Amino acid sequence: MKKILLLLSIIPLLLACHQTTEQQDDFYLQGAWMLRQVDYPYGRTKHYELKENGTYCMIYDGDSLFYECFLTTTPSGLVVKPCGKATVTLVDKGGGQLLYLEDGDPHPLSLNGDSLTIQRYGILLSWLRADSLYQEWGSEIRDIVGKEQEGDMAADAKCYFLSVKERQQERTILWLALVTAFIVVMSLTAAYYNHKARHQLQLQLHQIQDVQAHRPQAVRQAVASVESQFFASDAYATLLKRMASGERLKEDEWGEVEQHLKSVYPGFASQLRSLHPMSQLEYQVCLLIKLRIQPKDIAAVLARDVSTISTVRSRLYKKVFARKGGAKDWDDFLMTIGT
């Protein structure tokens, strides 16, 4: 389970980093490049801008293959017109100078940070790295050009539209799938640990019942004697009088109640707390029930309705035994533990 949770926690990171990790390989050209300027031998210069009239884009797969297309933008997405793909051989001549062999034809190439210049037959083509485009649409553009190249690449190759809205919908669906998977795994994990906790609780109940069933007669008599002495003592009579007054107990007085209980039932508190996590109210109700205090007096001392005290007991029975039961069923169970 822990391995599954760890995997789910890193899926978003893996998805976000998938495209960028491709660029972290030791390649010069890996990624997307946008054509920004073309300088002709006779002095004319032409500028390209994606957001205006569109521009050419090259998607490099390492330093050995590139996919070229013409891109234009619309308010709702990106229009891709495939141009072709070619194999590349790159020779490092040192000093940032590279020899670029495109389908066997040599072209000088210089690389300076995010700027790339390629000379083709006396024409200088200046490109800028486009990381955001590569991360967003790189694989789609590469697939479009690659499939078109496998067919009959004509001069009037058809265009393809990449919708921003569809991409957002894909991301929403992906995140919903991840969230759903996470919820399912968490639910299964919770069910597993609930089942495990339930199994441990059943073992504890069986142990308690087994101890009670196999208690020697001498021990039974000793316990009965201690109970009889306590419930006939002046201390218990004082406690009953204090309960009947209906005044709320102070913190130190609750300590006295616990001491009385411990003197008669030394294992009660530890066994009770081991069965199920309890609130202070639930614990105090159990202490007073074990000491034979009437529910109406418990309600008065705890400043609760009698119905609330009844609900606490029946709810505890259901938590521990995983089945419905009344307040009396819980009281009967409390009488069997702690000695």
Side-chain angles (χ1 to χ4, degrees), residues 225-289:
S225 176
V226 171
E227 287 179 331
S228 298
Q229 292 177 13
F230 174 73
F231 291 118
S233 67
D234 293 338
Y236 184 66
T238 302
L239 178 63
L240 287 179
K241 185 177 180 180
R242 182 71 179 83
M243 295 293 112
S245 69
E247 296 181 12
R248 299 194 66 174
L249 297 181
K250 299 177 182 178
E251 186 175 346
D252 58 339
E253 291 176 312
W254 276 112
E256 293 178 9
V257 171
E258 289 182 308
Q259 287 301 318
H260 285 310
L261 189 70
K262 189 175 181 180
S263 67
V264 186
Y265 306 111
F268 177 78
S270 60
Q271 287 185 3
L272 181 66
R273 290 188 180 280
S274 70
L275 293 174
H276 196 280
M278 292 188 179
S279 66
Q280 184 180 26
L281 174 63
E282 291 172 332
Y283 179 64
Q284 291 174 344
V285 168
C286 292
L287 293 184
L288 297 181
I289 289 294

Side-chain angles (χ1 to χ4, degrees), residues 55-322:
T55 187
Y56 288 90
C57 172
M58 291 192 298
I59 304 290
Y60 280 92
D61 189 357
D63 288 339
S64 60
L65 182 66
F66 79 82
Y67 302 78
E68 187 173 7
C69 64
F70 189 82
L71 299 180
T72 53
T73 58
T74 70
S76 56
L78 195 66
V79 178
V80 181
K81 183 177 181 180
C83 296
K85 70 176 182 179
T87 57
V88 173
T89 301
L90 203 60
V91 179
D92 188 353
K93 299 175 66 177
Q97 296 298 313
L98 303 167
L99 183 61
Y100 183 79
L101 296 165
E102 183 179 314
D103 281 342
D105 293 332
H107 304 287
L109 178 148
S110 61
L111 184 64
N112 183 15
D114 291 335
S115 298
L116 173 67
T117 301
I118 301 175
Q119 182 177 335
R120 290 177 176 170
Y121 312 112
I123 301 174
L124 293 178
L125 299 96
S126 300
W127 307 76
L128 286 180
R129 189 181 292 278
D131 289 339
S132 59
L133 177 76
Y134 183 69
Q135 294 169 16
E136 184 72 15
W137 302 108
S139 59
E140 286 86 348
I141 294 174
R142 187 168 49 196
D143 290 343
I144 288 172
V145 177
K147 290 178 181 179
E148 191 75 14
Q149 181 71 18
E150 291 174 1
D152 183 15
M153 181 71 77
D156 56 347
K158 59 185 177 181
C159 296
Y160 297 81
F161 180 68
L162 300 177
S163 171
V164 172
K165 184 177 181 179
E166 289 181 2
R167 172 53 60 86
Q168 292 173 343
Q169 291 175 342
E170 289 175 359
R171 288 175 176 169
T172 300
I173 293 172
L174 175 60
W175 281 109
L176 285 175
L178 289 173
V179 170
T180 301
F182 180 77
I183 292 174
V184 169
V185 171
M186 291 300 294
S187 299
L188 291 175
T189 303
Y192 168 77
Y193 284 109
N194 285 338
H195 175 75
K196 185 176 181 181
R198 178 60 55 188
H199 179 68
Q200 292 176 339
L201 177 58
Q202 292 302 318
L203 289 178
Q204 291 174 325
L205 288 173
H206 286 313
Q207 289 173 354
I208 292 173
Q209 294 168 354
D210 187 63
V211 169
Q212 297 293 334
H214 296 86
R215 177 179 291 169
Q217 185 62 29
V219 175
R220 293 177 183 270
Q221 292 175 349
V223 171
S225 176
V226 171
E227 287 179 331
S228 298
Q229 292 177 13
F230 174 73
F231 291 118
S233 67
D234 293 338
Y236 184 66
T238 302
L239 178 63
L240 287 179
K241 185 177 180 180
R242 182 71 179 83
M243 295 293 112
S245 69
E247 296 181 12
R248 299 194 66 174
L249 297 181
K250 299 177 182 178
E251 186 175 346
D252 58 339
E253 291 176 312
W254 276 112
E256 293 178 9
V257 171
E258 289 182 308
Q259 287 301 318
H260 285 310
L261 189 70
K262 189 175 181 180
S263 67
V264 186
Y265 306 111
F268 177 78
S270 60
Q271 287 185 3
L272 181 66
R273 290 188 180 280
S274 70
L275 293 174
H276 196 280
M278 292 188 179
S279 66
Q280 184 180 26
L281 174 63
E282 291 172 332
Y283 179 64
Q284 291 174 344
V285 168
C286 292
L287 293 184
L288 297 181
I289 289 294
K290 186 67 173 178
L291 289 173
R292 316 296 199 272
I293 306 300
Q294 294 299 313
K296 64 180 181 63
D297 293 331
I298 296 175
V301 169
L302 296 176
R304 299 288 198 283
D305 294 333
V306 176
S307 61
T308 300
I309 302 304
S310 177
T311 299
V312 168
R313 291 141 66 203
S314 59
R315 186 173 61 220
L316 282 171
Y317 185 89
K318 184 176 181 180
K319 288 179 180 178
V320 171
F321 290 94

